Amino acid sequence: MGRAFEYRKATKLKRWGHMARTFTKLGKEIAIAVKAGGPEPENNPRLRAIIATCKRENMPKDNITRAIKNAMGKDQSDYKEVSYEGYGPHGVAVFVDTLTDNTTRTVADVRSVFNKFSGNLGTQGSLSFLFDHKCVFSFKPKEDTDMDSLILDLIDYGVDDEYDTDEESGEITIYGDPKSFGDIQKYLEDNGYEITSAEFTRIPNDLKDVTDEERETIDKMVEKLEDFDDVQNVYTNMKPAEDAPEGE
C-alpha cells in the first residue's frame, strides 16, 4: 500500500470525529456544491461525488435530501472555504480546513486553540510545502479492469501512478491533482466506474516523531479544533501511532 493510503487509514477516524459531526460537515459540502451547480445530481458532478461520500459514511437519505433543500433556501448563508495553518506544540505542523459563513468568528476560534496549546498560527501558505494537497477517489473496479492501463490513462489527468486496493471491499483508491477533480470524476463516470467516495485531503510529506506524552497533547489540540462546526478537517505531520518507533 502507498504512503498516502497508510496515512489516511491511520488518521481517518480522528479526522472525521463523531457521526453527528460528520453529517454536519458533509451537509456544508452539499450546500457549496448546490450553490455552485444546482440541486440536481445528474446535472451537478460535484454534488454526485459528495452524495457518494455521504452514502459511504452512512448518512441517511433523508439527511442528504434535507441538506440539498436547505441549500436552495433564500436564507441559506454562503459558505467559504478557508484554510489555516501553523505550528502546534512540539513543533508539529497543523493544517485546518474550514467551511464558514463568518471568517471573523472562525479565525478567532482557531487562533484560540493554537494559543491554548502554545502554538503559532501562521500566514496562509506558510506551511503548504509540508503537505501534498490531493483529491481522492475510491471506486469499484469492473471485471475486465486492467489497472496498469487505467492508471496510464489517468496520468494524463494528474493522477499519481500509485494506487491502493482495499482487501476487504476490493475498491480502488487513487490520488490526483485537486485541480483535475472534475476531469478525473468525468473519466471514471464516462468509463462506467462506480465512484464510492470523492474528497480532498492533505498528506504530510515528512512525518515528525513524537513521544506518547506529546502525542496525547497534540491529539487534544486536534479534538478541540474539530469541536468547532466550521472546521471540516484537521491534518498534522505527526507520525501515526502505529508507525511510531518502538519504545515510545
Side-chain angles (χ1 to χ4, degrees), residues 61 93 100 166:
K61 184 177 180 180
T100 178
D166 189 301

Side-chain angles (χ1 to χ4, degrees), residues 12 85 96 152 215:
K12 185 173 179 61
E85 54 208 277
V96 186
L152 194 61
R215 182 184 307 281

Side-chain angles (χ1 to χ4, degrees), residues 14 89 113 116-117 213-227 238:
K14 289 180 181 177
V113 175
K116 180 177 181 179
F117 287 87
E213 185 178 356
E214 291 170 342
R215 182 184 307 281
E216 184 177 351
T217 301
I218 296 161
D219 283 343
K220 286 180 180 179
M221 178 183 181
V222 171
E223 289 172 4
K224 287 292 185 183
L225 287 166
E226 290 180 335
D227 280 342
M238 176 176 65

